[in-house]
């Protein structure tokens, strides 16, 4: 569970271990905005999925050679939503090109956050 609380003039984001990060109201400020957190969630999911697949396939690689950049694209019609997520993945250069192609296909299916964003998740908002 994740909790967001407003305290000491800022939005604080907690997991069950405690305070983890400060939320901001706009991108490129101290703390992360909702857009940046969404991009980070997708990027982290892709990175973790890549590592799990590579480990499962017993590939030797330097974990620091994996990089993921995500850009959320707002709807062109002015609606308040994102329509696209551009995900750029840097893979270890030591991997065979054919394996890299397979890896990119498999990672799209393996990432829970990506699958959720592609689907139609139901959001239920209730007062507590």
């Amino acid at each position: 569970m994740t909790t967001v609380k407003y305290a000491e003039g800022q939005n604080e984001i907690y997991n069950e271990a405690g305070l983890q990060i400060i939320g901001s109201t706009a991108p490129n400020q101290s703390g992360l905005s909702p857009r940046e957190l969404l991009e980070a969630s997708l990027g982290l999911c892709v990175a973790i999925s890549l590592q799990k697949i590579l480990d499962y396939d017993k590939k030797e690689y330097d974990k620091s050679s994996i990089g993921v950049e995500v850009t959320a694209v707002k709807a062109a019609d002015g609606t308040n939503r994102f329509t696209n997520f551009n995900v750029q993945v840097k893979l270890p250069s030591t991997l065979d090109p054919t394996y890299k192609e397979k890896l990119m296909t498999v990672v799209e299916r393996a990432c829970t956050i990506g699958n959720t964003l592609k689907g139609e998740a139901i959001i239920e908002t209730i007062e507590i």
Side-chain angles (χ1 to χ4, degrees):
M1 176 171 54
T2 302
T3 304
V4 179
K5 298 178 186 174
Y6 190 81
E8 299 182 29
Q10 60 192 6
N11 289 297
E12 298 178 343
I13 302 169
Y14 297 78
N15 67 8
E16 293 179 17
L19 177 63
Q20 296 297 314
I21 195 162
I22 302 301
S24 71
T25 56
N28 302 314
Q29 294 183 359
S30 181
L32 295 176
S33 71
R35 176 187 195 145
E36 291 164 329
L37 287 166
L38 184 58
E39 291 169 339
S41 293
L42 179 55
L44 179 59
C45 185
V46 168
I48 290 169
S49 297
L50 283 168
Q51 293 167 13
K52 285 182 177 182
I53 296 164
L54 288 164
D55 291 346
Y56 178 83
D57 289 346
K58 298 184 179 3
K59 297 289 183 180
E60 292 203 20
Y61 68 100
D62 176 7
K63 286 191 180 201
S64 67
S65 65
I66 292 176
V68 181
E69 292 182 14
V70 180
T71 304
V73 180
K74 281 275 240 178
D77 64 4
T79 55
N80 197 17
R81 66 186 185 96
F82 299 110
T83 56
N84 294 70
F85 293 88
N86 298 324
V87 181
Q88 296 181 349
V89 178
K90 179 180 174 246
L91 295 173
S93 61
T94 56
L95 299 176
D96 175 79
T98 304
Y99 179 76
K100 284 181 178 182
E101 282 184 42
K102 174 190 162 198
L103 187 60
M104 293 299 288
T105 301
V106 173
V107 78
E108 272 199 26
R109 286 184 259 155
C111 175
T112 302
I113 302 300
N115 289 329
T116 301
L117 292 170
K118 288 179 189 175
E120 304 229 359
I122 296 169
I123 300 171
E124 295 182 39
T125 306
I126 60 170
E127 182 181 0
I128 54 174

